[in-house]
Amino acid sequence: MVYRVIGLMSGSSLDGLDIVFTELEESGGRWSYEIKAAGCFAYNDEWLQKLNNAIHLNAYNYLLLHSAYGKYTGEKVNQFIEGNGLHHKVQLITSHGHTVFHAPQFSMTAQLGDGAALAAATGINVVSDLRAMDVAFGGEGAPIVPLGEKLLWNEYNCFLNIGGIANISFNNAGGNIAFDICPANRVLNMLAQPEGKKFDRNGEMAKSGRVNTLLLEQLNELDYYKQAYPKSLANSFGTDIIFPLIQSYHLSAADALRTYVEHIAIQVCQAVSYLVSGTGYQLLVTGGGALNIFLTEKLKEKLNPFNIEVVIPDEQLIQYKEALIMALLGVLRWREEYTVIKNVSGAVRSSIGGAVWIGQEA
């Protein structure tokens, strides 16, 4: 069976709305994919401000933004369809939305982007709210990608995504293990902005800086890193705890970036060391952080003693892997198959997650 689907992803790094149009095929229980078109719609200053400030809105204004962002994503999908000649080719849209609140300890997670507004704007059926069911069953709701990784890239046994938050998943005979490691690009981007840059291209500023040992030690001692998995992070851990801590040291941008790159590399190495034993492991690295040459060099350096091969795929997969997996999760929801496995999230049971909105006329 072949499914022609659009997947949408807006990550916590706020770089933009990723859109993928893919053909997904299931045959004999095995899945394959082909990316037919992909693009990223960068957020303008107005939307950056809206998304950054969403956490501070009252309930009424948050819901207004929820509806407006659903309409906005629908407009961008229509633009993507027009630009790539995809009229009457898209069977389903899956939208991750943009995470604003994430408190699984209180059975709550919230992603901006009303699925009904998206379906109405496009006239195409939509799956949204992919995390909510798992959280309701007591799970972390994150990371959400491990099942997609297992189905689409079963030749790998370790996956690292370095987005606004870095997360890892590991497949072995006993099942899947996955958890959020630490804030990543969201903090790195915030550290680069005082220098008039949206991000530290290739890690060039970080490479020119020096590690502040006292700050590094304080970062590595934060309580989250001592918690057992399954566990997940809200964006506020990076913006409200880590970033102010770094600022309190009054470092140059280069030294702050260099220290935080070291912190990410250390935390990734520790996470991997918890999961692997023996040799023969390949770690597939995706997300915007995979394009940070200095960061990936540090990862390779620290993982080398574990005999782990760090694999950096082509740029299209680096940038759009999560949007592609959203497309697959939407298809699984449409087929009423599991989208989240309980031993990944810590939920009491595996679940079929996602709300369905019928935008297509009967």
Side-chain angles (χ1 to χ4, degrees):
M1 184 72 182
V2 176
Y3 301 88
R4 296 174 178 86
V5 190
I6 280 178
L8 308 179
M9 182 69 198
S10 176
S12 57
S13 58
L14 289 170
D15 52 352
L17 178 67
D18 291 336
I19 305 182
V20 162
F21 174 62
T22 180
E23 286 189 359
L24 294 157
E25 183 173 5
E26 185 270 333
S27 177
R30 297 181 65 87
W31 287 89
S32 60
Y33 72 92
E34 182 179 354
I35 295 176
K36 294 291 189 177
C40 179
F41 290 84
Y43 293 124
N44 60 26
D45 290 343
E46 179 185 1
W47 272 106
L48 281 173
Q49 185 176 7
K50 286 179 178 179
L51 296 176
N52 263 320
N53 293 338
I55 196 169
H56 304 297
L57 298 176
N58 61 32
Y60 178 74
N61 287 320
Y62 178 85
L63 289 173
L64 288 178
L65 182 60
H66 181 57
S67 178
Y69 185 68
K71 181 180 178 182
Y72 167 85
T73 56
E75 291 169 350
K76 293 304 175 186
V77 167
N78 288 338
Q79 187 177 336
F80 179 81
I81 288 173
E82 181 70 31
N84 291 282
L86 300 177
H87 294 289
H88 310 297
K89 294 181 181 180
V90 182
Q91 298 168 315
L92 185 68
I93 299 169
T94 312
S95 175
H96 174 273
H98 186 83
T99 300
V100 177
F101 301 103
H102 185 67
Q105 70 274 26
F106 301 120
S107 301
M108 186 276 288
T109 186
Q111 286 73 45
L112 278 173
D114 181 16
L118 172 57
T122 59
I124 299 171
N125 299 340
V126 169
V127 174
S128 65
D129 301 315
L130 293 164
R131 299 180 187 268
M133 195 77 248
D134 180 70
V135 170
F137 278 119
E140 291 289 322
I144 199 172
V145 297
L147 182 59
E149 291 169 336
K150 182 178 181 179
L151 293 176
L152 295 180
W153 299 282
N154 59 10
E155 67 270 30
Y156 294 100
N157 39 32
C158 286
F159 302 88
L160 173 66
N161 179 69
I162 312 175
I165 294 171
N167 54 66
I168 193 165
S169 59
F170 175 68
N171 299 329
N172 62 13
N176 296 78
I177 297 170
F179 56 92
D180 287 342
I181 299 172
C182 64
N185 292 344
R186 182 70 178 270
V187 172
L188 291 174
N189 294 350
M190 292 172 75
L191 294 173
Q193 284 165 7
E195 299 298 308
K197 299 182 179 182
K198 290 186 176 180
F199 61 96
D200 182 15
R201 186 178 298 276
N202 297 327
E204 291 170 359
M205 279 198 293
K207 187 174 183 178
S208 69
R210 294 180 297 179
V211 173
N212 184 291
T213 305
L214 290 176
L215 172 58
L216 181 63
E217 290 176 354
Q218 197 170 354
L219 287 167
N220 289 331
E221 287 299 314
L222 290 169
D223 288 341
Y224 177 79
Y225 303 127
K226 301 171 187 176
Q227 296 176 20
Y229 56 81
K231 57 183 180 177
S232 62
L233 283 169
N235 293 330
S236 57
F237 184 68
T239 58
D240 299 349
I241 296 175
I242 284 183
F243 184 67
L245 173 59
I246 298 172
Q247 281 188 309
S248 71
Y249 277 76
H250 304 290
L251 304 177
S252 68
D255 288 355
L257 284 161
R258 176 66 185 88
T259 303
Y260 200 68
V261 164
E262 191 73 13
H263 172 66
I264 294 171
I266 288 171
Q267 292 306 320
V268 169
C269 187
Q270 289 184 356
V272 170
S273 70
Y274 294 150
L275 300 177
V276 304
S277 59
T279 60
Y281 291 96
Q282 289 184 310
L283 180 68
L284 183 68
V285 183
T286 55
L291 301 174
N292 185 322
I293 295 172
F294 183 65
L295 174 56
T296 56
E297 286 175 352
K298 286 296 162 186
L299 290 176
K300 291 176 181 178
E301 177 185 302
K302 293 191 181 299
L303 291 173
N304 185 58
F306 296 92
N307 294 313
I308 293 171
E309 180 186 358
V310 175
V311 179
I312 310 295
D314 64 86
E315 188 168 339
Q316 188 180 62
L317 187 56
I318 286 173
Q319 296 278 43
Y320 298 108
K321 172 171 160 272
E322 286 198 311
L324 173 62
I325 290 177
M326 294 311 117
L328 174 61
L329 294 181
V331 171
L332 295 176
R333 169 62 184 89
W334 192 262
R335 288 161 57 108
E336 299 187 355
E337 298 177 8
Y338 287 144
T339 57
V340 182
I341 306 301
K342 66 179 182 179
N343 66 318
V344 170
S345 69
V348 295
R349 49 161 281 194
S350 300
S351 61
I352 302 169
V356 177
W357 310 90
I358 305 300
Q360 181 179 338
E361 287 191 50

